[in-house]
Amino acid sequence: MTTQPPAGDPTATEAWSVLTDLARSLSTTTIRDLSEGNSERPAMLTREAAGIHADFSRQRVTADVMNSLLSLADERGVLAWRDRMLSGEHINITENRAVLHAALRAPVGVPLEVDGQDVASDVHDVLDRMSAFADAVRSGAWLGATGERIAAVVNIGIGGSDLGPAMAYQALRHDSDRDITFRFVSNVDPTDISEAVRDLDPATTLFIVASKTFTTLETMTNAQTARSWLVAALGEAAVSRHFVAVSTNAEKVSAFGIDTANMFGFWDWVGGRYSMDSAIGLSTMIAIGSTGFRDLLAGFHAMDTHFATAAPQNNVPLIMGLIAVWNRNFLGIETTAVLPYSQYLSRFPAYLQQLTMESNGKSVRLDGAPVTYETGAIFWGEPGTNGQHSFYQLLHQGTSTVSSDVIVVARSDNPVGDMQPMLVANALAQASVLALGRTAAEVAADGTPDALVPHKVMPGNRPVSLLMVERLDAFTLGALVALYEHSVFVQGAIWGIDSFDQWGVELGKKVAMGILGELTGSAPASFDASTDHSIALYRSLA
Ligand code: G6Q
């Protein structure tokens, strides 16, 4: 199947030139200038999709900027590229793969056949098998080798096989089965697996080995360590009751000693960082139940449908992606802070780090030419209000301009006195000060001594997107993740890069092996002078 990517160089489009001129003409116009006396602005720049209210009024944009960004999307063929993705074309050019995470959450009855595979029925077959298994674990029908119920589930995986499930468990903990403990092991640091199992009982522990390839060093090593821990207590025969696998690689799963009857599959058209709604979400399904998981998928699907059908000017992922391009390429903003005002979303910044930076951290276009413009921003963050007491200082008064995504959950699942209004007040106050700042006159009016006024001025003009949802339930989490997935897609399409490969990560999977041979003595070798020096130091300290 041949697929024409968004053609060539985005800077050659007419819209890019217009946006460059607009950025120049707005160089002395602040968000405060754009906002003051414009009471219509918040309504004009707020959109709703799948329960997510996205307010872009604190961005440094005008109606002209928004229109020109939509023209840029048009000239780049972003929506045609979206349609090619959704229909299963191989838009992951460098790996020659389809990109079909949206198919993972399509309801029953939506047909999709790609490369001769009945994708729709395969997806639902796996979902049904996952549901039967998750229900059995939750109900106690699935027992460990000694006849006891499962009381702890340990997901062993890394990257895309860890961050989504770990984030989702934390996010949906309120709706999870509290009789089961969940742990997530990813690091090859032996501390991770050791601490994860130290207070668990092998007889009541279930391991999910989650690895698309089933070859990843960290995951395989942790899985072998877990296996030895279990076998030492319960014997070889117990493995099949305490280990299940999530993978695309049946052969390797079987070679590990896991019965492929207890393997839940997915496909090469699901990228690791886009896989939390595939079988990789098995731990999520055990935590929140199969009905809860279907709600999660429904939230993803609602956002997919919105992205696929909403008019460009109302299309939230499209607008969010285009504003990210504006900030990155025309305002020169290098980093985005993700600031969820929800403790349940404490792993969301880490999750987004992978989704955004692994997808759009590229510097070669789809046609192989080096880019001549900036691509993916650096994403990082912490839950509010904790971040306020540490790095927000730089956000407010540092010399770098950072854009922020402030995420607010209106209704708490744990209401206590005025704590939730306090949390929301902090989110809104920070969003306001970041965008609008505090002028010298305002600071002086508070009675601040003259000498201190310059120190207390907040320049503002830091762009903020404020995303507000009613409650953080499974549906909303699905919609929120899909919103970011599609925003990432839009950015990648504008930049003409492959958002779905990860050659930098692939290198990491290989590069340590030579040094490991030297460290373990199995294949002595020497490296560059600095590496040899570090090896000698390590040996002297170990
Ligand atoms: C995700 C990346 C990467 C991957 C991990 C784990 O998009 O490709 O983070 O998910 O390296 O890979 P396996 O699932 O194959 O173990």
Side-chain angles (χ1 to χ4, degrees), residues 158-161 210-214 216 219 271-273 354 358 502 505 509:
I158 195 163
S161 301
S211 176
K212 182 173 167 179
T213 55
F214 232 71
T216 305
T219 301
R273 55 195 174 277
Q354 181 187 28
E358 196 172 357
Q502 55 282 312
V505 171
K509 292 189 179 189

Side-chain angles (χ1 to χ4, degrees), residues 248-311:
T248 56
N249 193 337
E251 209 176 300
K252 293 258 191 258
V253 167
S254 184
F256 181 87
I258 295 176
D259 186 347
T260 47
N262 299 327
M263 166 181 157
F264 302 89
F266 58 117
W267 308 273
D268 70 358
W269 40 258
V270 184
R273 55 195 174 277
Y274 296 87
S275 68
M276 61 171 274
D277 48 347
S278 72
I280 290 288
L282 184 61
S283 60
T284 314
M285 195 191 260
I286 297 172
I288 62 170
S290 52
T291 308
F293 197 79
R294 305 255 175 188
D295 289 344
L296 178 80
L297 297 182
F300 271 103
H301 181 66
M303 187 58 76
D304 294 343
T305 304
H306 169 86
F307 182 49
T309 60

Side-chain angles (χ1 to χ4, degrees), residues 515 518 525-539:
I515 298 174
E518 164 65 16
S526 80
F527 306 91
D528 62 275
S530 293
T531 303
D532 288 342
H533 180 79
S534 300
I535 289 172
L537 178 61
Y538 162 72
R539 286 209 165 107

